[in-house]
Amino acid sequence: MTVIELQRASKSEQGQGGAGDVPQIRSKNLNLFYGDFQALHDISLDVPKNQVTALIGPSGCGKSTFLRTLNRMNDLISGVSITGEVLIGGQNIYDKTVDVVELRKKIGMVFQKPNPFPMSIYDNIAYGPRAHGLKKKSRIMEIVERSLRQAALWDEVKDRLHSSAMGLSGGQQQRLCIARVLAVEPEIVLMDEPTSALDPLATLKVEELVTELKKMYTIVIVTHNMQQAARISDRTAFFLNGKIVEADETAKIFTNPKHKQTNDYISGRFG
Amino acid sequence: MNRILEEKIVKIFLFAAAFTAVFSVLLIGIFVFMEGLPIFFKYGLTDILFGSVWNPTNQVYGIWPMIVGTIYVTFVAVLIGAPMGIGVAIYLVEIANERISKTIIPAVELLAGIPSVVYGLFGMFAVRGVIASLSRGPLGDVLPSNYQSGYSILAAAIILAIMILPTIINISIDALRAVPREYKEGSLALGTSHWQSIYKLLLPAAKSGIITAVILGVGRALGETMAVIMVIGNTPAVPALDWTGLFAPARSMTANIALEMGYAGPEHQQALFATGIVLFVFIIVLNSITQLLVRRRREGGAK
């Protein structure tokens, strides 16, 4: 079963969730170990569809590790073991029957450091669709244009699609990476501190983009920058020492947090 | 004051060491050219380079058979050794777990440490034996009788292929490891399979390094002497240029020099030095290509 089918199947069976919106991602009692070291403790979090969910917290609190459990990137690290569940559209993605490659097609990821491949802008965007078997040139070109437009990069690069992506500025590279993810038509986009390597202007552009993209995608973003979380996210989860201290609507977290630790962190007392 | 003096002494010593290295290359080059050039003037450049008869007793010094033999055997060796070596490197970097690579890597290093005469022995008995039974048996009707001894280009190429493996494996491993981790993560996150990521992203990204590895392998194969002498048959004749040539006994340039220098008269010696010049030029060209590639890779990385 593909993720889409699973989601369709799950939509009918899940009726809960207050507002009528079934959470797109639900982690239940997730624990993650690097060998003997436990990096995530009992993480339970719901991520609603078509919203931006921000994960905040000090360095080493486990927010990036958690993000990477959502598309199973932690599989690449040896010695990682996981207990608990991550349900995406009702299906536990750690189930043995899940095809990780298929899963990752549906869950795109943008990394902290822009990582364009050492090839042309065009080839970067076409990389995913081509790998998934698309050969028709006209169709690939459509996807390239659509993805670059969605990532608000088209006007800047349309005249040099065939020059190296390495020649773009950092901000452009990051938007290229976002476009590359969109080209695969995912349902969820994970972003791991996507603006931490960018200057303020480029950061602003990416933030505008995120706000635009949530209309079509569910976004989970890890950020160090609390102003950023406050600006662009609908919900925020505050991580500390591998645990979620508090997760709620962003407005509540930033104006009226329930926990003292959250308040201390967002008011800049530590972290 | 003392420390400054120390610095100076160390500097001078290191400079001398560096200078000696450069000076040696220069000296060897000059020496080989001085000894070998006269014969080109005497018999003409084309007669020496492209003459297909090597008969020192009658003052006929055509190096062509050795040039063809060397190129043929090197080409086949790389054809076998390069895909294998690159394959091993991909396996070790991308697929093998730590326990397996900890077994394979020392084995590869050991391969590099085996003296070439031992490779020659192995080739002489094991490899040549198999080839001989093939060329006398199923291929017996097709091959000319002097191509049936097993001493052949194929035997030498197989041995050389094994000998260049460590070079190709080690440098390819470095090239693959130099590819930023972020590329692979980015590729996998797009929902590509591991093999697709290797084939479409990792290998192209490591291309210049892998080409360097292959070229260094070519250099190693070109220069190998002892193991080749023991299995190639050492006949100074141009091998057939179709597939039957694989079974032809031939002679490499290195073998030519090593075999005959011991009893050569003055002019014969010059002809052997001329063989050395050709070999020298081959190596210079190869090294220049490598340098060019390395430079391009650095510039590419700096972007």
Side-chain angles (χ1 to χ4, degrees):
Chain A
M1 272 214 269
T2 69
V3 176
I4 299 186
E5 283 170 303
L6 291 167
Q7 276 180 332
R8 280 196 198 116
S10 70
K11 263 178 193 155
S12 51
E13 77 194 28
Q14 283 195 358
Q16 81 272 44
D21 255 342
V22 177
Q24 181 125 8
I25 306 172
R26 161 171 283 176
S27 83
K28 281 207 285 206
N29 306 104
L30 185 78
N31 292 288
L32 182 142
F33 302 83
Y34 292 118
D36 293 333
F37 172 74
Q38 185 166 7
L40 294 177
H41 298 261
D42 222 19
I43 303 290
S44 293
L45 183 71
D46 282 358
V47 175
K49 201 169 165 42
N50 292 89
Q51 290 198 8
V52 177
T53 301
L55 312 179
I56 62 168
S59 300
C61 68
K63 55 193 190 303
S64 284
T65 303
F66 176 67
L67 190 77
R68 286 165 161 261
T69 60
L70 301 181
N71 65 343
R72 293 189 53 174
M73 283 309 270
N74 285 324
D75 288 14
L76 302 182
I77 303 164
S78 57
V80 168
S81 56
I82 284 168
T83 66
E85 289 184 331
V86 176
L87 302 168
I88 292 186
Q91 161 76 4
N92 180 15
I93 62 168
Y94 284 93
D95 199 274
K96 281 199 176 70
T97 57
V98 168
D99 179 348
V100 183
V101 172
E102 282 298 320
L103 175 80
R104 291 193 187 127
K105 280 186 201 171
K106 295 295 159 210
I107 307 171
M109 185 167 212
V110 178
F111 295 83
Q112 184 170 1
K113 214 173 108 193
N115 59 348
F117 301 146
M119 48 182 86
S120 73
I121 293 167
Y122 181 93
D123 288 334
N124 261 278
I125 309 290
Y127 182 87
R130 276 183 187 148
H132 302 150
L134 188 63
K135 291 209 170 65
K136 209 172 154 206
K137 276 198 176 145
S138 56
R139 182 80 190 102
I140 293 178
M141 187 59 219
E142 274 171 40
I143 292 177
V144 169
E145 179 170 349
R146 191 209 69 215
S147 310
L148 285 169
R149 281 190 192 281
Q150 277 186 310
L153 190 60
W154 174 253
D155 291 329
E156 292 163 59
V157 301
K158 64 182 177 205
D159 299 323
R160 47 170 172 154
L161 289 177
H162 293 282
S163 50
S164 171
M166 309 310 256
L168 297 173
S169 72
Q172 289 173 325
Q173 286 187 1
Q174 193 61 300
R175 277 179 287 145
L176 178 78
C177 293
I178 293 172
R180 192 172 66 193
V181 167
L182 301 182
V184 186
E185 301 182 26
E187 291 159 12
I188 299 166
V189 179
L190 310 175
M191 298 184 162
D192 190 358
E193 298 190 37
T195 61
S196 66
L198 306 183
D199 63 58
L201 216 63
T203 299
L204 185 69
K205 281 199 167 160
V206 171
E207 287 185 5
E208 284 170 359
L209 185 57
V210 170
T211 313
E212 190 60 32
L213 289 176
K214 76 173 180 184
K215 290 172 192 161
M216 298 177 67
Y217 307 93
T218 302
I219 293 171
V220 185
I221 182 168
V222 165
T223 178
H224 246 107
N225 179 333
M226 279 173 289
Q227 284 72 37
Q228 183 169 70
R231 277 194 298 265
I232 64 174
S233 72
D234 302 295
R235 295 180 64 84
T236 297
F238 171 54
F239 280 69
L240 189 64
N241 299 327
K243 299 184 180 99
I244 289 187
V245 174
E246 194 169 349
D248 210 330
E249 282 166 25
T250 300
K252 280 191 193 155
I253 292 274
F254 280 91
T255 54
N256 191 17
K258 290 196 193 84
H259 291 262
K260 185 175 176 302
Q261 283 168 322
T262 315
N263 193 32
D264 287 352
Y265 182 70
I266 59 168
S267 56
R269 225 160 284 167
F270 74 98
Chain B
M1 200 60 206
N2 221 347
R3 198 185 302 152
I4 294 170
L5 190 72
E6 197 181 274
E7 291 273 336
K8 260 192 181 157
I9 292 172
V10 170
K11 251 187 198 167
I12 289 170
F13 177 77
L14 291 178
F15 174 77
F19 182 76
T20 311
V22 177
F23 191 66
S24 308
V25 173
L26 211 68
L27 209 65
I28 292 172
I30 291 171
F31 176 71
V32 170
F33 274 85
M34 262 177 50
E35 295 287 328
L37 276 180
I39 199 141
F40 284 109
F41 292 115
K42 189 166 175 193
Y43 293 98
L45 188 69
T46 47
D47 278 9
I48 298 280
L49 280 183
F50 302 113
S52 55
V53 178
W54 173 266
N55 188 346
T57 334
N58 297 321
Q59 285 85 47
V60 185
Y61 303 107
I63 303 175
W64 189 239
M66 277 64 81
I67 295 177
V68 175
T70 302
I71 293 174
Y72 201 150
V73 78
T74 305
F75 178 76
V76 177
V78 172
L79 211 62
I80 303 169
M84 238 169 103
I86 296 167
V88 173
I90 293 172
Y91 178 72
L92 288 175
V93 173
E94 279 300 313
I95 296 161
N97 62 36
E98 210 169 317
R99 226 183 49 231
I100 295 177
S101 52
K102 270 188 179 155
T103 328
I104 295 181
I105 288 174
V108 170
E109 271 155 20
L110 200 64
L111 212 55
I114 297 174
S116 54
V117 71
V118 176
Y119 277 103
L121 279 177
F122 172 72
M124 221 168 165
F125 292 97
V127 180
R128 186 199 62 84
V130 173
I131 293 173
S133 60
L134 189 69
S135 54
R136 283 187 193 130
L139 298 173
D141 298 333
V142 197
L143 295 175
S145 59
N146 62 329
Y147 282 16
Q148 295 184 8
S149 66
Y151 288 106
S152 58
I153 285 181
L154 184 61
I158 289 172
I159 291 302
L160 284 176
I162 303 170
M163 292 179 78
I164 63 177
L165 273 183
T167 309
I168 294 181
I169 292 172
N170 285 328
I171 297 169
S172 297
I173 285 179
D174 290 345
L176 287 169
R177 289 215 173 119
V179 175
R181 216 187 123 71
E182 288 85 5
Y183 290 174
K184 186 181 159 190
E185 285 195 332
S187 175
L188 289 175
L190 288 170
T192 62
S193 70
H194 194 178
W195 169 242
Q196 282 174 328
S197 303
I198 292 172
Y199 179 70
K200 291 192 184 245
L201 188 62
L202 245 61
L203 283 181
K207 192 175 66 187
S208 67
I210 291 174
I211 292 173
T212 307
V214 173
I215 292 177
L216 289 176
V218 171
R220 173 112 170 73
L222 271 183
E224 179 49 42
T225 313
M226 181 50 83
V228 174
I229 288 178
M230 291 169 77
V231 295
I232 202 170
N234 302 315
T235 311
V238 179
L241 291 176
D242 54 15
W243 68 270
T244 58
L246 283 174
F247 298 91
R251 183 186 281 195
S252 70
M253 290 191 269
T254 50
N256 197 36
I257 301 169
L259 286 169
E260 298 191 358
M261 199 47 113
Y263 61 84
E267 196 178 74
H268 187 183
Q269 269 193 12
Q270 288 184 347
L272 295 176
F273 272 105
T275 316
I277 292 177
V278 177
L279 203 54
F280 207 80
V281 171
F282 269 58
I283 298 289
I284 289 173
V285 169
L286 271 182
N287 278 9
S288 312
I289 296 173
T290 320
Q291 287 293 321
L292 217 71
L293 279 173
V294 171
R295 201 171 307 155
R296 210 204 299 172
R297 180 157 52 145
R298 281 208 199 107
E299 280 162 12
K303 256 191 243 170

